[in-house]
Amino acid sequence: MKNARDFDLLVFDFDGTLANSASWFRSILPDLARRFGFRCPDEEELEVLRHKPPREVMRILKIPGWKLVFIAVHVRKRAAKAEAFPLFDGVPEVLRAIAAKGIKIAVVSSNAEGNVRRALGPELSALVTSWSCGAGLFGKAKHFRDVLRETKVAPARALSVGDEIRDIDAARDVGLKTAGVAWGFGMKSALEAANPDLLFVTVDEFQAFVTK
């Protein structure tokens, strides 16, 4: 896996991978905690939680699993009313470079497809071959299977690109190769512990991988 040409399909997460939505999520966290009855961490604890896997975070904040779907639906609706999330610097160039090489692009996200398309804009959205959005916190494996089926790409020829441990775990369950990116929510140390096939600290590093 020396460069992107080793793959026929790159499957991107959205929040924290393509778009910088962290500050928005942090801004609504106190209201979510009140509305759904879980403990709201302060800024210092949030940094600590970035090192932990999702189920551990849920245990610490006392979020029962049955509430996840309600929280997710609420967050998607609020995101639809917010300003479009800004893309990380370099992301448009990366997506254009991938498409120029004839490599297919898919998006698998917990966010709504409309929110993702709004952030990407018409030009970049047109580069995406397959969409599978609205995934549950631990439900991405099904969505990876959906894009593999739609694009007719073998799992070993597809690379999942995401910023969280759950992205790596779900992709591995389906047989995809995995790339962790440390410019989003997940910390480098936590991603390393999940042992992805590839790890990129900056968008520039990933761009070098794509354009090589």
Side-chain angles (χ1 to χ4, degrees):
M1 293 179 288
K2 295 178 180 179
N3 55 58
R5 292 184 185 277
D6 293 325
F7 301 99
D8 300 319
L9 171 68
L10 268 60
V11 186
F12 287 92
D13 171 52
F14 176 67
D15 292 292
T17 300
L18 298 178
N20 186 1
S21 50
S23 60
W24 181 81
F25 280 110
R26 288 183 184 225
S27 73
I28 69 168
L29 190 56
D31 181 64
L32 291 178
R34 287 190 296 271
R35 186 181 295 266
F36 294 100
F38 62 86
R39 189 171 65 78
C40 185
D42 58 24
E43 286 295 320
E44 183 177 349
E45 187 179 12
L46 268 177
E47 287 305 306
V48 174
L49 294 177
R50 290 178 66 198
H51 294 267
K52 298 185 180 298
R55 293 189 190 279
E56 178 70 3
V57 173
M58 289 170 59
R59 184 190 67 78
I60 292 170
L61 299 185
K62 302 185 185 308
I63 305 174
W66 64 268
K67 285 188 178 181
L68 290 178
V69 63
F70 299 103
I71 295 171
V73 169
H74 179 78
V75 169
R76 287 182 204 125
K77 287 180 178 178
R78 288 183 68 156
K81 297 176 182 177
E83 291 186 13
F85 298 142
L87 302 180
F88 286 104
D89 290 343
V91 161
E93 292 78 8
V94 165
L95 295 178
R96 293 183 190 113
I98 294 168
K101 289 180 180 293
I103 301 168
K104 294 177 180 177
I105 298 170
V107 173
V108 168
S109 174
S110 298
N111 214 321
E113 182 177 328
N115 296 339
V116 181
R117 285 181 177 272
R118 190 157 55 96
L120 292 179
E123 180 215 344
L124 297 179
S125 293
L127 303 180
V128 178
T129 301
S130 180
W131 303 82
S132 193
C133 297
L137 185 63
F138 301 108
K140 280 195 170 183
K142 171 193 176 298
H143 292 258
F144 284 130
R145 292 189 185 97
D146 288 345
V147 299
L148 290 173
R149 184 164 49 250
E150 182 176 0
T151 58
K152 297 180 172 58
V153 173
R157 294 290 300 173
L159 178 69
S160 165
V161 184
D163 68 311
E164 295 187 70
I165 296 170
R166 65 190 178 101
D167 298 322
I168 296 169
D169 290 342
R172 186 175 286 136
D173 286 345
V174 180
L176 278 71
K177 298 298 183 183
T178 59
V181 301
W183 59 76
F185 296 129
M187 298 292 291
K188 180 185 176 185
S189 58
L191 294 169
E192 284 177 331
N195 197 30
D197 297 294
L198 298 165
L199 180 63
F200 302 95
V201 176
T202 67
V203 178
D204 286 344
E205 284 184 11
F206 186 71
Q207 187 169 13
F209 170 79
V210 166
T211 56
K212 205 181 285 184

